[in-house]
Amino acid sequence: MRDKKRGLLSISLLVIFLMYMTNVSISAWADTAELEASIKAKQAEIQEAEKEKQQLKSSITDAKKIVSGLESAKEDLEAYVMELDANLTDVEEKIEELKQLISDKEAEIAEATADLEEAQEIQRTQYENMKKRIRFMYEKGDSFYLDLIFSADSYADMLNKADYAEQLSEYDARKLEEYKQTCEYVAACKADLEADKEVLDEAKAKQDEEQANLNTLIEAKNKEISATSADINNREAAIKELEADMAAREAAIKELEQIVAEERRRLAEESGTVLTYDGGMFKWPAPSYTRISDDYGNRIHPITGTNQFHNGVDMAAPGGSPILAAYDGEVVAAAYNASMGNYIMIDHGDSLYTIYMHASALYVSKGDYVSKGQKIAAVGTTGRSTGNHLHFSVRKSGSYVSPWNYLSR
């Protein structure tokens, strides 16, 4: 029994010595099965990245084909604008999807870089441990295992040392296999990172292409609106055409106001509650604006040369930049109109409304309650518009009033 204890003690001391000599540390991998699963996961990510890259190559908009296909609609400007605006919306959505993909890929690249760095650190540690182990075995010579076994004090001690020699051999083989798998995982991490970078580069290139397509469609629309206005035979006809457009806007807004007024009256009778405006100042609705391109009030119309009333403030802002709710209220319209484009109308109570026109995208729906400063849409050039801007109007008791009564620059 004493010999057996001595043999076990000598084996334990040898284990401690070898661990010290080879700097064995707890691996980041729980076992080879987990490492193998990690390699397969990386390979799946590489395949997914390749699919994304192929999808990006096949999904680009053909702006020239769209413009060509709309030739027959030019005789009816309203129909032409509506069809082209629908395509503008599709391209805007693609651009937003690409922006999100770019953001996601940048996050994935950061994660993949961290995975690679961690795997490379494990690889370096395993490599250094193996060198120390090989150096130790070289210094001890080929007879190390025989010396270990034949130094036994008894038959039992010899069996114990022989068993330990076998365990050491298995340990070396296992560590070598782990190192091979780590090298394979490092290679998979590098390939995954490279695939993500390729998708990112492709997405950025496609975003630039789609932005160019968007600009092509906007230019085609602007050209047609300007050409139609220039082709009107005389000033009187031009005035009538513009007046008809404004009358259509006015009719649409008045109809909404009547519907809201009736709904407010019904709610007041049923519950006694009424939406009221508390008199606060409005928030600037286009925080990315660069200038006021057209102010509220009477002005000389650039096409007819006559005195015309402009019922809002045009804020020239970049396409896709945010449009904010000027004040708390209920969305009573979030729709499309051939004249106003994508527009939103908010009821603030006491017959006070704000209207936001020509948006590229709408982020709220009819019936939503919004807060002052909440993002409700994106600046665009839909409807009768020849450039990215927000047309912001304020109505009080059924008539347009100056937004400057409620806004401060």
Side-chain angles (χ1 to χ4, degrees):
M1 179 64 71
R2 186 178 297 111
D3 291 341
K4 185 175 182 180
K5 287 183 178 180
R6 188 184 304 112
L8 290 173
L9 178 60
S10 64
I11 291 172
S12 299
L13 291 172
L14 184 57
V15 169
I16 294 171
F17 173 72
L18 286 174
M19 288 180 67
Y20 173 77
M21 286 296 295
T22 58
N23 192 28
V24 174
S25 59
I26 297 175
S27 172
W29 318 117
D31 51 40
T32 56
E34 180 183 339
L35 183 52
E36 183 65 30
S38 297
I39 293 170
K40 289 180 179 179
K42 284 295 178 185
Q43 291 170 341
E45 289 173 10
I46 294 168
Q47 292 176 352
E48 184 61 30
E50 184 60 31
K51 287 181 183 178
E52 289 178 327
K53 191 168 66 173
Q54 294 305 319
Q55 288 172 353
L56 284 169
K57 289 181 177 179
S58 62
S59 64
I60 201 69
T61 301
D62 190 338
K64 291 182 179 179
K65 185 177 180 180
I66 291 172
V67 173
S68 176
L70 288 172
E71 279 295 321
S72 60
K74 284 185 176 181
E75 294 180 3
D76 184 345
L77 182 60
E78 182 172 318
Y80 177 83
V81 168
M82 289 179 69
E83 286 190 50
L84 201 144
D85 280 346
N87 286 286
L88 281 177
T89 299
D90 290 342
V91 177
E92 289 274 9
E93 288 176 356
K94 283 186 178 181
I95 290 173
E96 289 304 313
E97 288 172 2
L98 286 168
K99 286 180 180 177
Q100 185 60 53
L101 176 60
I102 288 169
S103 177
D104 291 344
K105 278 299 159 190
E106 287 174 341
E108 288 176 21
I109 285 172
E111 183 178 346
T113 300
D115 288 345
L116 176 59
E117 290 174 352
E118 181 182 5
Q120 287 175 326
E121 181 58 34
I122 293 171
Q123 183 187 39
R124 282 192 292 270
T125 300
Q126 289 177 335
Y127 181 67
E128 290 302 319
N129 288 343
M130 289 180 64
K131 286 200 301 182
K132 289 181 180 179
R133 175 77 177 122
I134 291 169
R135 185 183 301 116
F136 173 79
M137 294 301 297
Y138 176 78
E139 291 172 352
K140 292 298 180 180
D142 296 335
S143 61
F144 169 69
Y145 287 116
L146 290 176
D147 291 343
L148 176 66
I149 293 171
F150 291 131
S151 65
D153 295 330
S154 65
Y155 181 70
D157 188 26
M158 182 186 69
L159 290 178
N160 285 333
K161 288 182 177 180
D163 181 59
Y164 181 65
E166 183 179 355
Q167 289 180 30
L168 276 179
S169 180
E170 290 175 355
Y171 171 83
D172 287 339
R174 187 170 66 251
K175 288 303 174 183
L176 178 59
E177 182 61 28
E178 282 184 12
Y179 179 69
K180 289 179 180 178
Q181 284 188 308
T182 298
C183 291
E184 186 178 351
Y185 180 66
V186 167
C189 285
K190 288 180 178 178
D192 181 38
L193 181 59
E194 186 60 33
D196 282 341
K197 287 180 177 179
E198 288 178 3
V199 173
L200 178 63
D201 291 342
E202 188 72 26
K204 287 181 177 179
K206 294 307 175 187
Q207 183 186 357
D208 291 340
E209 286 185 47
E210 289 292 8
Q211 187 62 54
N213 289 329
L214 183 68
N215 294 338
T216 297
L217 294 178
I218 290 174
E219 287 171 9
K221 176 183 172 182
N222 294 348
K223 181 180 178 181
E224 192 58 31
I225 291 175
S226 299
T228 301
S229 300
D231 286 343
I232 296 175
N233 294 326
N234 54 60
R235 182 174 295 182
E236 184 178 349
I239 293 171
K240 287 182 178 180
E241 195 270 340
L242 289 168
E243 287 177 345
D245 179 55
M246 294 305 299
R249 290 191 189 190
E250 182 73 12
I253 297 300
K254 280 188 174 294
E255 182 180 0
L256 284 169
E257 288 177 329
Q258 290 171 0
I259 292 171
V260 172
E262 178 59 28
E263 180 66 15
R264 291 282 177 263
R265 184 191 63 76
R266 185 183 63 79
L267 287 174
E269 290 178 355
E270 292 178 359
S271 62
T273 59
V274 180
L275 182 65
T276 58
Y277 170 58
D278 62 11
M281 293 297 290
F282 287 175
K283 187 174 185 65
W284 192 263
S288 301
Y289 88 105
T290 55
R291 61 187 175 86
I292 300 299
S293 56
D294 208 348
D295 210 341
Y296 174 85
N298 291 315
R299 48 87 185 263
I300 300 299
H301 196 277
I303 295 174
T304 66
T306 60
N307 193 38
Q308 294 282 328
F309 174 69
H310 189 239
N311 62 28
V313 175
D314 286 351
M315 303 172 185
S321 58
I323 296 174
L324 310 180
Y327 212 71
D328 301 346
E330 180 183 357
V331 177
V332 295
Y336 177 84
N337 175 281
S339 176
M340 295 182 284
N342 294 318
Y343 75 101
I344 291 172
M345 184 171 174
I346 301 176
D347 176 16
H348 302 288
D350 296 324
S351 299
L352 179 66
Y353 299 86
T354 51
I355 306 167
Y356 314 75
M357 300 182 191
H358 308 306
S360 61
L362 305 179
Y363 304 136
V364 293
S365 303
K366 181 180 178 180
D368 290 347
Y369 283 87
V370 296
S371 302
K372 176 180 178 179
Q374 179 179 332
K375 185 177 179 179
I376 58 173
V379 171
T381 182
T382 54
R384 283 290 190 95
S385 166
T386 56
N388 287 313
H389 73 285
L390 166 63
H391 177 97
F392 177 70
S393 294
V394 179
R395 286 177 69 89
K396 175 66 176 173
S397 301
S399 298
Y400 286 102
V401 296
S402 174
W404 299 115
N405 294 338
Y406 303 87
L407 283 170
S408 59
R409 286 182 187 264

